[in-house]
Amino acid sequence: MPTERVSQFSIFRTRYLDHEGVPLGPLPAFATDTTSLIPLYRAMVRTRVFDAKAVSLQRTGRLGTFASSLGQEAVGVGAASAMTPNDVLVPAFRDQAAQLWRGVTPVELLLYWGGDERGSDFSGPRQDFPISVPVASQVPHAAGVALAFKLRHEPRASLCILGDGGTSKGDFYEAINTAGIWRLPLVVLIVNNQWAISVPRSAQSAAETLAQKAIAAGIPGEQVDGNDVIAVRDRVGQALDRARTGGGATVIEALTYRLGDHTTADDARRYRDDREVSEHWHDDPILRLRQYLVKQAVWTRDDDEEQLLASLATEIDQAAADYLATARQPAGSMFDFLFATLPAPLADQRAQALAEEAGNA
Ligand SMILES: Cc1ncc(C[n+]2csc(CCOP(=O)(O)OP(=O)(O)O)c2C)c(N)n1
Ligand SMILES: [Mg+2]
């Protein structure tokens, strides 16, 4: 038959520590000084403490709907710790681990989830994008950021995070196609937490890996163990370096697991087996790194851990108090920051909101 093979591809997965925190081989250079991993560990625990506080604020009627990142902390911390301050983070709604590392404050995140626009007006990483709740709409934005860097000849990269479900959206395909053809300094990090609300990964795509979607865009795709913060930092770091030096875009699929409900508005027990969840607790990214640090004798389960938890409780309790003490914005604010000129129907709604607010005062 006059047929020849014209293309073939493989997808590789990187992991440095096994589930019990035992190295599978030599660690990357940044991790050879074990104490340099302690900030990563602290940041993962900080995210978890923050998430628990946010869920309890929602449960007691003091926060809006919230998306916990329980179990996924290594993805955000690993990725954000590989960025330079000049890179731009373009996050989805479950990426507080990355945002906190970048310098978004816990108070700002709570304001955001409490419905206050000022929560997106970061005091820290001014160039980072606000949270995107519309699934995958942030990926073309991130490609646009990368295009701007390229046109201005700036050695910076754009890091976009989205979920496994988001990779089914046209936005994702369009953005990576553009990134491929224009060789954009973009890293697209897929957080494959195995679920998109109640849709399991197996029902999301017939592709064997989500990383291989990159191949059709002409860019490299790979998997990383998303519960191994060392692996995430290493692979995202390499991709960012390549992006900043003219090597183009990369898609990285981080394999992890959503240990919590989709959001506080969800009850995952209605569609997910408890046993599946408890099995995944054995693969907790925080436990994995802690086991390694303890074995390396740079961390103790009692003193160091207790001190960390105590100082984080103080920090996050204070953030919650500051959030709760923040004076509300006037009702008109929700109309004021989207349009240069407010369309007439919205102007009517604005007037009505102000009148109701005055009546309630
Ligand atoms: C455009 C759009 N469609 C639907 C929704 C409702 N929605 C919110 S989250 C979500 C699933 C997202 O799954 P995934 O991309 O895997 O991210 P994860 O929630 O697991 O972090 C959906 C359908 C939305 N926010 N935006
Ligand atoms: Mg998901």
Side-chain angles (χ1 to χ4, degrees), residues 93-94 133-135 163-166 169 191 193 195-197 258 262:
F93 48 80
R94 206 188 296 284
V133 167
V135 168
D164 43 296
K169 292 277 311 291
V191 185
N193 63 5
W195 291 90
I197 314 185
R258 194 193 82 208
H262 170 68

Side-chain angles (χ1 to χ4, degrees), residues 90-163:
V90 186
F93 48 80
R94 206 188 296 284
D95 298 324
Q96 51 269 29
Q99 291 187 292
L100 287 167
W101 179 280
R102 297 279 292 163
V104 177
T105 67
V107 179
E108 287 163 346
L109 289 174
L110 292 174
L111 283 170
Y112 173 83
W113 290 106
D116 191 319
E117 301 282 349
R118 290 171 294 184
S120 298
D121 188 14
F122 312 137
S123 50
R126 298 288 300 168
Q127 77 283 15
D128 283 2
F129 271 44
I131 288 171
S132 175
V133 167
V135 168
S137 62
Q138 74 276 24
V139 199
H141 301 165
V145 170
L147 176 59
F149 294 158
K150 180 167 177 149
L151 293 176
R152 293 182 193 157
H153 304 286
E154 291 176 356
R156 303 165 71 186
S158 164
L159 175 74
C160 182
I161 313 184
L162 82 162

Side-chain angles (χ1 to χ4, degrees), residues 240-304:
L240 286 169
D241 286 348
R242 216 167 36 242
R244 287 188 217 100
T245 52
T250 305
V251 172
I252 299 177
E253 176 187 4
L255 297 162
T256 182
Y257 191 80
R258 194 193 82 208
L259 288 170
D261 291 329
H262 170 68
T263 63
T264 50
D266 175 48
D267 177 3
R269 285 170 304 178
R270 292 174 58 192
Y271 54 81
R272 197 167 71 163
D273 194 340
D274 278 347
R275 265 174 316 179
E276 177 185 311
V277 181
S278 41
E279 274 163 26
H280 281 281
W281 269 104
H282 296 300
D283 205 13
D284 175 2
I286 291 183
L287 181 63
R288 189 188 301 198
L289 185 60
R290 183 166 66 229
Q291 286 176 315
Y292 177 66
L293 296 178
V294 168
K295 272 182 225 140
Q296 294 294 308
V298 297
W299 193 257
T300 57
R301 265 179 240 276
D302 31 38
D303 284 2
D304 289 332

